[in-house]
Amino acid sequence: MRFPYTDIHKVITDVLNQHNRPIYQFSLRIFEALDFGINKENLKIWIPLMSRNIKYLGILSQSKDKDELPHIVFSCKELTYFKFSSFNLSIPHHFQGFKKLIELHLDSIEVESRALESFMSACPFLEKLIVDGCSSSDDLVISSTFLKVFVLKLIQTKTICLKKQII
Protein backbone atom coordinates (compact mmCIF):
# COMPACT_ATOMS: atom_id res chain seq x y z
CA MET A 1 0.00 0.00 0.00
CA ARG A 2 1.54 3.31 -1.07
CA PHE A 3 0.69 6.61 0.52
CA PRO A 4 1.06 10.10 -0.93
CA TYR A 5 3.98 10.66 1.47
CA THR A 6 6.43 8.53 -0.51
CA ASP A 7 8.83 11.48 -0.82
CA ILE A 8 9.23 11.90 2.94
CA HIS A 9 12.93 10.96 2.62
CA LYS A 10 13.38 14.03 0.40
CA VAL A 11 11.75 16.23 3.05
CA ILE A 12 14.06 14.85 5.76
CA THR A 13 17.10 15.39 3.51
CA ASP A 14 16.03 18.98 2.80
CA VAL A 15 15.50 19.73 6.51
CA LEU A 16 18.89 18.28 7.41
CA ASN A 17 20.56 20.23 4.58
CA GLN A 18 19.03 23.50 5.79
CA HIS A 19 19.79 22.94 9.47
CA ASN A 20 22.98 24.81 10.29
CA ARG A 21 23.66 23.59 13.83
CA PRO A 22 24.78 20.20 15.12
CA ILE A 23 22.07 17.63 15.68
CA TYR A 24 22.67 15.66 18.86
CA GLN A 25 19.62 13.40 18.77
CA PHE A 26 18.00 11.62 15.84
CA SER A 27 15.40 8.90 15.95
CA LEU A 28 13.85 7.23 12.93
CA ARG A 29 11.22 4.51 12.80
CA ILE A 30 10.72 2.89 9.42
CA PHE A 31 7.33 1.20 9.08
CA GLU A 32 7.33 -1.41 6.34
CA ALA A 33 3.56 -1.20 5.92
CA LEU A 34 3.83 2.52 5.22
CA ASP A 35 6.16 2.71 2.27
CA PHE A 36 7.75 6.14 2.71
CA GLY A 37 10.65 5.24 0.46
CA ILE A 38 13.14 5.34 3.36
CA ASN A 39 16.02 2.88 3.31
CA LYS A 40 19.59 2.42 4.45
CA GLU A 41 20.86 4.47 1.50
CA ASN A 42 19.12 7.50 3.02
CA LEU A 43 21.04 6.95 6.26
CA LYS A 44 24.31 7.15 4.33
CA ILE A 45 23.27 10.67 3.30
CA TRP A 46 21.65 11.81 6.55
CA ILE A 47 24.28 10.85 9.10
CA PRO A 48 27.00 13.11 7.65
CA LEU A 49 24.44 15.94 7.50
CA MET A 50 23.66 15.51 11.21
CA SER A 51 27.33 15.81 12.13
CA ARG A 52 29.55 13.25 13.68
CA ASN A 53 28.73 14.75 17.11
CA ILE A 54 25.39 12.99 17.39
CA LYS A 55 24.94 11.53 20.87
CA TYR A 56 21.56 9.75 20.66
CA LEU A 57 20.76 7.64 17.62
CA GLY A 58 17.77 5.39 17.13
CA ILE A 59 17.19 3.57 13.86
CA LEU A 60 14.18 1.31 14.13
CA SER A 61 13.00 -0.67 11.15
CA GLN A 62 10.12 -3.10 10.98
CA SER A 63 11.34 -4.73 7.81
CA LYS A 64 11.35 -8.51 7.63
CA ASP A 65 14.31 -8.33 5.24
CA LYS A 66 17.26 -7.37 7.38
CA ASP A 67 19.81 -5.13 5.68
CA GLU A 68 23.32 -4.67 6.96
CA LEU A 69 23.59 -1.68 9.27
CA PRO A 70 25.13 1.09 7.14
CA HIS A 71 28.82 1.44 8.01
CA ILE A 72 28.52 5.24 8.12
CA VAL A 73 26.84 4.76 11.51
CA PHE A 74 30.15 3.54 12.90
CA SER A 75 31.69 6.97 12.28
CA CYS A 76 29.50 8.58 14.98
CA LYS A 77 32.20 8.68 17.66
CA GLU A 78 30.23 10.75 20.21
CA LEU A 79 27.32 8.32 20.67
CA THR A 80 26.23 7.74 24.25
CA TYR A 81 22.92 6.03 23.33
CA PHE A 82 22.37 3.75 20.33
CA LYS A 83 19.28 1.73 19.49
CA PHE A 84 18.67 -0.14 16.28
CA SER A 85 16.37 -2.88 15.08
CA SER A 86 15.91 -5.20 12.12
CA PHE A 87 19.45 -5.00 10.79
CA ASN A 88 22.36 -7.39 10.52
CA LEU A 89 25.18 -6.45 12.86
CA SER A 90 28.38 -6.55 10.87
CA ILE A 91 31.38 -4.62 12.19
CA PRO A 92 33.52 -2.81 9.60
CA HIS A 93 37.24 -3.51 9.89
CA HIS A 94 37.99 0.21 10.43
CA PHE A 95 35.68 0.51 13.47
CA GLN A 96 37.59 2.03 16.40
CA GLY A 97 34.70 1.84 18.85
CA PHE A 98 32.14 4.04 20.51
CA LYS A 99 34.30 5.19 23.39
CA LYS A 100 31.44 7.15 25.02
CA LEU A 101 28.59 4.69 24.49
CA ILE A 102 26.69 4.03 27.72
CA GLU A 103 23.45 2.43 26.51
CA LEU A 104 22.89 -0.03 23.64
CA HIS A 105 19.56 -1.53 22.54
CA LEU A 106 19.56 -4.30 19.94
CA ASP A 107 16.12 -5.33 18.75
CA SER A 108 15.38 -8.06 16.20
CA ILE A 109 18.83 -8.09 14.68
CA GLU A 110 20.94 -10.86 13.25
CA VAL A 111 24.42 -11.00 14.70
CA GLU A 112 27.38 -12.09 12.61
CA SER A 113 29.84 -14.51 14.13
CA ARG A 114 31.61 -12.76 17.03
CA ALA A 115 30.30 -9.35 15.90
CA LEU A 116 28.62 -8.52 19.21
CA GLU A 117 31.72 -9.43 21.20
CA SER A 118 33.85 -7.30 18.88
CA PHE A 119 31.36 -4.45 19.07
CA MET A 120 31.16 -4.50 22.87
CA SER A 121 34.92 -4.68 23.32
CA ALA A 122 35.09 -1.41 21.36
CA CYS A 123 32.60 0.24 23.76
CA PRO A 124 34.54 0.27 27.05
CA PHE A 125 32.05 2.27 29.15
CA LEU A 126 28.86 0.43 28.19
CA GLU A 127 26.58 0.29 31.25
CA LYS A 128 23.26 -0.89 29.81
CA LEU A 129 22.69 -3.56 27.16
CA ILE A 130 19.25 -4.66 26.01
CA VAL A 131 19.12 -7.55 23.54
CA ASP A 132 15.57 -8.31 22.40
CA GLY A 133 14.64 -10.92 19.82
CA CYS A 134 18.07 -11.26 18.26
CA SER A 135 19.49 -14.32 16.58
CA SER A 136 22.93 -15.69 15.91
CA SER A 137 24.12 -18.92 14.38
CA ASP A 138 27.12 -18.77 16.68
CA ASP A 139 27.83 -18.52 20.38
CA LEU A 140 26.91 -15.19 21.91
CA VAL A 141 29.59 -13.68 24.14
CA ILE A 142 28.70 -10.71 26.36
CA SER A 143 31.71 -9.05 27.92
CA SER A 144 31.95 -5.57 29.44
CA THR A 145 33.78 -3.96 32.31
CA PHE A 146 31.10 -1.50 33.42
CA LEU A 147 27.89 -3.34 32.44
CA LYS A 148 25.28 -2.72 35.16
CA VAL A 149 22.05 -3.59 33.33
CA PHE A 150 21.69 -6.52 30.96
CA VAL A 151 18.30 -7.52 29.56
CA LEU A 152 18.05 -10.56 27.31
CA LYS A 153 14.78 -11.56 25.65
CA LEU A 154 13.85 -14.22 23.10
CA ILE A 155 17.25 -14.95 21.66
CA GLN A 156 18.08 -17.80 19.29
CA THR A 157 21.68 -18.85 19.61
CA LYS A 158 23.77 -21.87 20.50
CA THR A 159 25.08 -20.67 23.85
CA ILE A 160 25.41 -17.47 25.83
CA CYS A 161 28.61 -16.65 27.68
CA LEU A 162 28.81 -13.79 30.16
CA LYS A 163 32.30 -12.54 30.96
CA LYS A 164 33.40 -9.89 33.39
CA GLN A 165 36.26 -7.84 32.04
CA ILE A 166 38.76 -6.64 34.58
CA ILE A 167 40.53 -3.36 34.03
Side-chain angles (χ1 to χ4, degrees):
M1 173 179 228
R2 294 201 50 101
F3 290 86
Y5 306 107
T6 56
D7 290 339
I8 194 89
H9 65 282
K10 292 177 185 174
V11 172
I12 294 170
T13 302
D14 289 345
V15 168
L16 290 172
N17 271 320
Q18 294 173 16
H19 192 79
N20 58 5
R21 291 188 167 188
I23 296 173
Y24 295 109
Q25 182 171 340
F26 184 80
S27 215
L28 174 69
R29 185 172 294 239
I30 303 168
F31 293 97
E32 188 174 47
L34 305 174
D35 186 2
F36 290 134
I38 296 174
N39 57 42
K40 76 174 192 171
E41 297 305 315
N42 299 120
L43 294 172
K44 291 178 183 178
I45 296 167
W46 296 342
I47 288 179
L49 294 175
M50 287 183 255
S51 90
R52 304 274 198 253
N53 295 323
I54 192 161
K55 295 180 184 329
Y56 179 107
L57 182 60
I59 306 169
L60 310 171
S61 173
Q62 294 183 335
S63 175
K64 292 178 180 95
D65 301 323
K66 292 178 174 54
D67 282 330
E68 186 175 288
L69 189 65
H71 285 184
I72 189 75
V73 168
F74 294 97
S75 66
C76 301
K77 302 294 183 200
E78 300 297 315
L79 282 181
T80 57
Y81 176 94
F82 187 26
K83 180 176 185 175
F84 64 98
S85 68
S86 297
F87 285 97
N88 292 328
L89 178 59
S90 172
I91 309 298
H93 67 278
H94 65 275
F95 179 56
Q96 297 295 313
F98 293 130
K99 304 299 183 201
K100 298 180 180 181
L101 191 68
I102 295 171
E103 190 168 335
L104 176 63
H105 293 244
L106 308 174
D107 187 5
S108 301
I109 66 162
E110 291 183 17
V111 182
E112 256 187 22
S113 175
R114 300 287 180 216
L116 185 57
E117 183 177 10
S118 172
F119 184 89
M120 288 187 64
S121 69
C123 303
F125 297 107
L126 190 66
E127 293 180 3
K128 185 174 185 179
L129 174 64
I130 298 176
V131 180
D132 189 355
C134 300
S135 63
S136 174
S137 60
D138 225 355
D139 299 333
L140 189 61
V141 178
I142 307 295
S143 179
S144 179
T145 305
F146 295 102
L147 196 62
K148 295 176 184 173
V149 177
F150 175 50
V151 178
L152 179 66
K153 298 178 188 175
L154 306 170
I155 195 157
Q156 295 175 333
T157 188
K158 289 180 181 178
T159 61
I160 300 169
C161 177
L162 301 175
K163 292 182 182 178
K164 173 111 174 136
Q165 288 181 340
I166 299 177
I167 6 182

